[in-house]
């Protein structure tokens, strides 16, 4: 059985104020053509279909057209909601859409109710496990604590129990949206840290033949049976070295991975990160290859040059980001606020603030617990408000 695994479309997202809807539509064209040409048996979309809970109307219209095109192909599609999606909104009409072969899995309660497909080797059960906010589903899943590992583990226990009750030899696939240990993150993913622990071990997915993951934007293999497809487009300059793809997975007769091929996605425009003095960037012929790219430039001139953005744009007309990192400065004193925060979680930033206002000395264990609880409560409250809007 051929499975096309994709995720993190983030319909409606811009790239440094550049509208990407046209590029996202081109990706959908590519997806549909791939399904047709490669005779795909099922499409798996592992969350973050939209970029935000209330997406702009053009993004909703693109999603609507996409559903119609996938349904017209007659190829089953399984989609789950991610942490950027509103599960309630994405799941509206799921029962009716299900009849067209588009299976939206947005309700955690239905995680052990699979879409069952069949080929000449027997049945394949596809379980859709939407993003689980630990504080909201802990009691529902009788998890022992508020953490991603606990709630995912409890949900997977339900899935394994359902699978065990099925005919021997039934193959299995799980779609999930999570940060799995060993995955490499980028700047464009929203933090899902809860309880101070954001990653879950790949062992959570033991017992199933393939885990199609979403959330991380780089295509990567955790192990043969646990993979991220990554996002189809770059959503930050930290993804400059990403190769944007989908996975074409061949599930064998006994549940073995008979093949795993990366299918390249269309690239609307290359990315480039340039660093150096302004005059050098403007004169160096080695940068000619980047003249049509989206550019992030970091200038190292000791003194800020006059009108740097306009001068850069004369050679690199698609310059989108400009930063300054003067030569010879002390490492942190000249860095921008955004640079100092890059890669740091909300919890770490808050702990740094405690140390700053205290004039030294890190937050102790009790203070860290208070901060951690506050962030968990705010995140859970945001999810509750979104659910009831």
């Amino acid at each position: 059985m051929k499975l096309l695994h994709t995720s993190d479309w983030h319909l409606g997202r811009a790239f440094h104020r550049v509208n990407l809807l046209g590029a996202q539509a081109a990706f959908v064209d590519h997806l549909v053509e791939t399904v047709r040409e490669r005779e795909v048996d099922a499409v798996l979309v592992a969350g973050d279909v939209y970029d935000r809970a209330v997406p702009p109307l053009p993004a909703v219209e693109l999603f609507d057209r996409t559903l119609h095109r996938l349904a017209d192909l007659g190829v089953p599609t399984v989609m789950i909601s991610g942490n950027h999606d509103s599960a309630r909104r994405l799941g509206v009409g799921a029962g009716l859409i299900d009849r067209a072969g588009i299976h939206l899995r947005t309700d955690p309660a239905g995680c052990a109710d699979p879409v069952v497909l069949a080929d000449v080797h027997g049945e394949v059960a596809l379980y859709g496990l939407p993003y689980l906010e630990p504080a909201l589903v802990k009691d529902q899943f009788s998890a022992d604590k508020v953490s991603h590992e606990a709630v995912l583990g409890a949900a997977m226990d339900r899935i394994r129990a359902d699978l065990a009750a099925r005919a021997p030899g039934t193959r299995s696939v799980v779609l999930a949206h999570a940060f799995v240990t060993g995955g490499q993150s980028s700047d464009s993913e929203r933090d899902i840290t809860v309880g101070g622990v954001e990653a879950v071990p790949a062992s959570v997915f033991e017992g199933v033949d393939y885990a199609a993951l979403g959330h991380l934007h780089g295509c990567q293999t955790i192990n043969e049976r646990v993979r991220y497809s990554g996002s189809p487009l770059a959503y930050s300059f930290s993804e400059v070295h990403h190769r944007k793809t989908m996975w074409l997975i061949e599930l064998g007769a006994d549940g073995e991975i008979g093949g795993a091929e990366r299918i390249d996605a269309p690239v609307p425009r290359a990315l480039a990160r340039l660093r150096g003095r302004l005059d050098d960037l403007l004169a160096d012929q080695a940068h000619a290859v980047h003249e049509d790219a989206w550019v992030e430039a970091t200038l190292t001139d000791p003194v800020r040059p006059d009108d740097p953005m306009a001068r850069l744009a004369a050679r690199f007309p698609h310059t989108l980001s400009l930063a300054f990192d003067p030569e010879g400065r002390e490492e942190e004193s000249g860095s921008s606020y955004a640079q100092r925060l890059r890669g740091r979680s909300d919890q770490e930033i808050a702990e740094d603030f405690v140390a700053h206002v205290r004039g030294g000395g890190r937050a102790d264990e009790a203070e860290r617990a208070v901060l951690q609880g506050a962030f968990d409560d705010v995140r859970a409250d945001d999810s509750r408000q979104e659910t009831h809007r």
Side-chain angles (χ1 to χ4, degrees):
M1 183 172 286
K2 290 183 180 180
L3 308 171
L4 189 63
H5 168 197
T6 178
S7 72
D8 295 273
W9 294 358
H10 290 277
L11 300 182
R13 186 162 183 160
F15 183 76
H16 289 266
R17 299 178 301 282
V18 174
N19 189 317
L20 291 179
L21 200 65
Q24 291 170 335
F27 164 72
V28 170
D29 291 342
H30 170 69
L31 170 73
V32 170
E33 192 60 29
T34 299
V35 172
R36 183 183 294 112
E37 289 186 353
R38 303 301 295 269
E39 299 181 338
V40 169
D41 296 302
V43 176
L44 314 178
V45 186
D48 281 355
V49 175
Y50 289 122
D51 187 57
R52 55 183 185 266
V54 185
L57 182 58
V60 177
E61 291 172 340
L62 175 57
F63 180 60
D64 181 61
R65 294 195 300 272
T66 301
L67 293 185
H68 280 84
R69 295 177 70 182
L70 290 171
D72 288 345
L73 290 174
V75 175
T77 298
V78 183
M79 294 183 173
I80 62 172
S81 50
N83 61 300
H84 279 249
D85 298 308
S86 165
R88 291 285 296 276
R89 287 189 175 90
L90 186 64
V92 168
L96 289 173
I97 296 172
D98 194 81
R99 301 176 190 176
I102 306 295
H103 308 283
L104 297 174
R105 293 296 188 259
T106 63
D107 184 355
C111 68
D113 180 19
V115 176
V116 180
L117 306 180
D119 61 11
V120 295
H121 303 296
E123 292 188 339
V124 179
L126 289 83
Y127 297 90
L129 187 54
Y131 171 71
L132 302 177
E133 181 62 58
L136 297 181
V137 301
K138 173 185 176 293
D139 293 338
Q140 180 180 348
F141 284 100
S142 300
D144 57 359
K145 59 182 178 180
V146 180
S147 74
H148 283 289
E149 182 175 356
V151 296
L152 272 174
M156 283 302 303
D157 286 343
R158 292 189 181 186
I159 289 171
R160 283 186 283 263
D162 179 83
L163 187 59
R166 295 184 177 274
T170 299
R171 291 160 290 166
S172 56
V173 174
V174 168
L175 288 77
H177 198 85
F179 190 170
V180 174
T181 303
Q184 298 297 312
S185 62
S186 61
D187 291 346
S188 55
E189 297 125 9
R190 182 180 296 165
D191 180 29
I192 57 173
T193 302
V194 171
V197 180
E198 60 183 6
V200 300
S203 59
V204 164
F205 301 104
E206 285 182 359
V208 297
D209 297 313
Y210 183 68
L213 301 183
H215 179 58
L216 299 184
H217 288 183
C219 181
Q220 48 202 295
T221 301
I222 304 300
N223 61 50
E224 183 186 39
R225 297 185 181 277
V226 180
R227 300 171 189 261
Y228 284 99
S229 67
S231 60
L233 298 171
Y235 293 118
S236 76
F237 279 103
S238 66
E239 301 170 52
V240 63
H241 297 302
H242 286 190
R243 175 187 164 199
K244 297 300 184 180
T245 61
M246 301 177 286
W247 281 113
L248 183 60
I249 301 295
E250 294 189 18
L251 195 62
D254 297 317
E256 75 276 12
I257 305 300
E261 179 185 352
R262 293 179 68 180
I263 307 294
D264 288 292
V267 179
R269 193 178 298 277
L271 305 185
R273 273 183 153 171
L274 306 182
R275 180 183 180 88
R277 296 191 176 199
L278 178 58
D279 288 342
D280 294 337
L281 296 182
L282 296 177
D284 192 343
Q285 288 307 303
H287 296 318
V289 67
H290 304 308
E291 289 176 357
D292 195 44
W294 280 321
V295 169
E296 175 191 73
T298 301
L299 301 184
T300 61
D301 301 71
V303 177
R304 185 175 300 218
D306 293 332
D307 208 9
M309 192 64 166
R311 293 168 65 188
L312 277 169
R315 184 180 186 188
F316 307 104
H318 304 289
T319 301
L320 301 181
S321 176
L322 177 61
F324 296 91
D325 186 14
E327 298 169 355
R329 68 166 176 81
E330 292 186 9
E331 183 174 347
E332 188 170 332
S333 61
S335 61
S336 70
Y337 182 66
Q339 288 171 324
R340 295 198 300 274
L341 298 188
R342 184 172 294 159
R344 301 183 67 75
S345 69
D346 291 341
Q347 177 85 13
E348 290 171 326
I349 294 167
E351 290 178 15
D352 287 347
F353 179 73
V354 170
H356 172 72
V357 297
R358 178 178 288 153
R362 307 291 298 173
D364 60 28
E365 184 174 349
E367 291 167 333
R368 288 196 298 272
V370 170
L371 291 170
Q372 186 179 101
F375 282 122
D376 290 351
D377 289 346
V378 169
R379 187 178 290 107
D381 187 61
D382 285 346
S383 295
R384 289 190 190 96
Q385 289 186 35
E386 174 55 41
T387 299
H388 292 94
R389 281 178 186 170

